[in-house]
Amino acid sequence: MGLTDDLLRFDWTGVDAELQKKTEDAFAELRLTEEQIERVQRVFLEEMERGLDKQSESPSSLLMENTFLPELPNGHETGEYLALDLGGTNFRVMYLRIADGKVVEQDFQRFEVDEAHRYGSGEDLFDFLAGCVQSFLREKHPSGRHFELGFTFSFPMIQKSLDVGILQTWTKSFKASGCVGQDVVKMLNEALHRRGDINVDVVAIMNDTTGTLVQGASQDQHCAIGVILGTGSNAAYIERVDRVKKWDHHQNGIKEVVIDVEWGAFGDNGVLDFVRTDVDRAVDDLSLLVNSFTFEKYFSGKYLGEVFRQCMLKAHRDGVLFESVSEKLNTANSCTTKHVSMLEKDTIDGTGHHLEAVMEELQQAHSAADLVVLRYICALITVRAAVLVSACISVLLKRIDRDDCSIAVDGTLFKLHPRLASLMETAIAVLAPKHKFHLFLAEDGSGKGAALVAAVAKRLRNRK
Ligand code: GLC
């Protein structure tokens, strides 16, 4: 038995042996074998090294971006900051007060970024963001005082310093024009200053994984990895500067730096094709940005529902599920990650309670045997998600190679899925057997982390 089977342990009660076999055969490709898992680990490490290398001949699919963050909070940070969190369709403006390296007070407001702003011009998008900052301050902090702001920008960017971030490509649900190749800190600062009615300066930009790592480190001193399992997925970790070959700056004795892996794009150059299935190709074909973000599309929150829907359609075509498929189910993106989580809850507590609700939402007629097949599909795509993510985390653990290493995780997929965390714990322990680790939820890394990074940026500036 391999890791996948160990994690899966599926109870087929209610289905005859023939249907079980046909279903297992139909989805054999989604059950990662030991060799495939080992190859994912090997390829991930190779891609990491190529991404850090200055002279790589063929580009790595991992950006391995230098965040220019050489240290984590040391417990002495204090002050009041603003933070912005842009990554999903919700945008947050936050006020955070830090004392002794921890966030002790916070307040925030959420704004919806509608399609017109996500797909429109970059200038309009940043004017809209600046307007949200103004409306938050007008309501909560009308004094007109000056604020420094940490900007969590959860998209692939090339950083030139802690306060310069050049957008490489949009992902998830964004497509605003005139931003790719631009410094988004400059765009935001210009929009803030254009208004003339607020006194705010962006002092640091970071990815949400960096924020999560920093927030994690303020809770647990052994934290060296930050992971997001949400709409998208990615990780940041602490790397030795001497291994960051492409960073030819004068490094002033800096020994370590946080690297943003950008593993969402892992495999965009074909190196992961050995795990790609027809289901994954169908998910990609229907996505906003086709042929990119291969790894993320296997499991992250934005896509897992569609992976599930494509699996159901395949199961129907292969004659193991549903007599006919409802119009709703035939509609792209009609299933969400929430549906997968609901069915997984049934698997855990042995009921069919949520299944009925999901089928009703999808207006899908079904038999008792269908329900077992559906649960199997959800279990399988969940296990594949856990194995893929754990394979990458195990590589990071081995690379960091500390006696004890904590992994801070945030994101809706991680928080709302009923057993992803425990599957990952088991998988990581198998895949990095010699490395002691602790996986924990670092709630709101993209908010609290932004203020903490702004505070660290201030310390670094003062030191200069
Ligand atoms: C996408 C973004 C990445 C972010 C992740 C999680 O993969 O490219 O920067 O960290 O989503 O939000």
Side-chain angles (χ1 to χ4, degrees):
M1 285 244 294
L3 178 60
T4 297
D5 295 320
D6 262 352
L7 298 177
L8 204 53
R9 292 182 186 281
F10 191 73
D11 176 5
W12 283 98
T13 310
V15 157
D16 63 35
E18 192 191 333
L19 180 56
Q20 174 181 342
K21 175 149 191 334
K22 270 176 90 175
T23 310
E24 284 178 333
D25 288 351
F27 291 106
E29 274 188 327
L30 287 167
R31 296 169 78 118
L32 296 178
T33 62
E34 297 301 279
E35 293 75 41
Q36 283 176 315
I37 300 169
E38 196 260 323
R39 189 163 161 202
V40 171
Q41 289 176 295
R42 198 172 61 239
V43 171
F44 184 63
L45 181 60
E46 283 164 14
E47 289 282 282
M48 276 177 60
E49 279 172 348
R50 279 201 297 147
L52 290 173
D53 199 348
K54 199 184 326 193
Q55 281 145 350
S56 173
E57 275 163 24
S58 48
S60 167
S61 57
L62 301 177
L63 205 56
M64 300 302 288
E65 194 42 37
N66 183 357
T67 65
F68 288 82
L69 186 65
E71 45 192 85
L72 301 178
N74 61 13
H76 296 297
E77 296 75 16
T78 55
E80 292 169 89
Y81 295 91
L82 291 185
L84 298 190
D85 177 15
L86 183 73
T89 48
N90 274 322
F91 164 64
R92 284 184 310 159
V93 182
M94 283 161 284
Y95 159 85
L96 301 110
R97 189 161 68 81
I98 299 175
D100 302 327
K102 286 199 170 30
V103 172
V104 290
E105 188 187 334
Q106 65 173 334
D107 195 359
F108 72 91
Q109 201 174 335
R110 245 179 240 287
F111 299 86
E112 197 199 328
V113 190
D114 61 17
E115 210 170 275
H117 285 112
R118 282 183 280 129
Y119 293 13
S121 86
E123 197 167 303
D124 280 355
L125 172 65
F126 282 92
D127 278 339
F128 168 75
L129 303 184
C132 297
V133 175
Q134 192 272 344
S135 111
F136 175 81
L137 287 178
R138 191 185 51 214
E139 196 174 314
K140 314 267 189 180
H141 299 274
S143 66
R145 58 163 283 199
H146 176 250
F147 274 108
E148 292 193 341
L149 183 150
F151 184 18
T152 301
F153 182 72
S154 307
F155 299 95
M157 58 181 158
I158 301 235
Q159 286 192 241
K160 304 277 183 200
S161 63
L162 251 183
D163 60 357
V164 174
I166 315 286
L167 176 64
Q168 292 305 289
T169 167
W170 286 115
T171 58
K172 299 177 278 199
S173 322
F174 280 74
K175 231 181 166 172
S177 62
C179 301
V180 172
Q182 300 301 313
D183 172 14
V184 290
V185 173
K186 187 160 170 270
M187 289 186 85
L188 179 59
N189 263 330
E190 283 172 0
L192 289 165
H193 299 160
R194 236 186 336 263
R195 294 195 59 88
D197 55 359
I198 45 176
N199 191 4
V200 177
D201 285 301
V202 187
V203 297
I205 185 162
M206 78 226 64
N207 183 260
D208 50 359
T209 52
T210 305
T212 302
L213 167 53
V214 170
Q215 163 62 5
S218 80
Q219 294 171 254
D220 175 340
Q221 55 167 345
H222 297 298
C223 187
I225 302 175
V227 174
I228 294 284
L229 288 169
T231 309
S233 179
N234 185 16
Y237 73 105
I238 299 178
E239 179 60 285
R240 272 174 23 205
V241 162
D242 63 305
R243 299 205 284 209
V244 188
K245 304 270 180 352
K246 63 183 176 184
W247 191 18
D248 44 24
H249 267 61
H250 181 60
Q251 286 145 17
N252 293 332
I254 298 171
K255 295 215 162 38
E256 294 179 326
V257 72
V258 174
I259 295 290
D260 167 13
V261 177
E262 283 295 330
W263 75 28
F266 182 25
D268 282 6
N269 55 359
V271 292
L272 267 194
D273 283 359
F274 65 96
V275 296
R276 203 159 193 230
T277 68
D278 287 345
V279 163
D280 301 309
R281 274 181 274 273
V283 172
D284 188 27
D285 285 347
L286 287 172
S287 64
L288 185 64
L289 302 150
V290 182
N291 283 330
S292 71
F293 280 67
T294 310
F295 192 58
E296 187 165 281
K297 285 177 188 164
Y298 291 156
F299 60 83
S300 82
K302 183 160 175 51
Y303 306 100
L304 195 62
E306 186 59 22
V307 172
F308 177 39
R309 192 183 76 92
Q310 291 295 342
C311 284
M312 288 192 273
L313 296 179
K314 175 180 165 46
H316 175 66
R317 284 194 304 271
D318 290 0
V320 293
L321 184 71
F322 304 143
E323 294 224 328
S324 63
V325 166
S326 74
E327 206 181 313
K328 185 103 187 260
L329 188 58
N330 249 325
T331 311
N333 299 317
S334 54
C335 289
T336 62
T337 298
K338 190 184 88 194
H339 292 139
V340 177
S341 285
M342 284 166 84
L343 301 200
E344 281 286 282
K345 278 195 188 120
D346 281 355
T347 297
I348 291 168
D349 58 27
T351 67
H353 180 68
H354 293 97
L355 265 168
E356 295 292 347
V358 173
M359 289 299 102
E360 211 163 289
E361 253 185 63
L362 297 172
Q363 295 152 7
Q364 179 61 55
H366 54 273
S367 69
D370 286 340
L371 298 184
V372 181
V373 172
L374 288 171
R375 272 190 12 218
Y376 178 71
I377 294 173
C378 283
L380 195 55
I381 60 179
T382 295
V383 165
R384 184 176 74 148
V387 168
L388 287 173
V389 171
S390 303
C392 297
I393 291 178
S394 70
V395 172
L396 295 180
L397 280 176
K398 290 178 197 171
R399 185 161 178 98
I400 296 168
D401 198 23
R402 294 193 182 165
D403 291 341
D404 201 344
C405 181
S406 298
I407 306 152
V409 192
D410 197 4
T412 42
L413 176 64
F414 186 75
K415 282 197 284 199
L416 301 182
H417 193 291
R419 62 173 179 151
L420 188 61
S422 70
L423 289 172
M424 282 170 62
E425 293 224 347
T426 309
I428 297 168
V430 169
L431 296 170
K434 296 194 190 117
H435 288 78
K436 193 168 157 211
F437 71 94
H438 169 54
L439 192 70
F440 72 105
L441 174 69
E443 196 104 41
D444 196 15
S446 49
K448 294 181 175 139
L452 289 165
V453 173
V456 173
K458 188 179 197 165
R459 183 170 77 225
L460 297 171
R461 265 197 328 268
N462 289 344
R463 199 180 292 158
K464 267 189 195 159

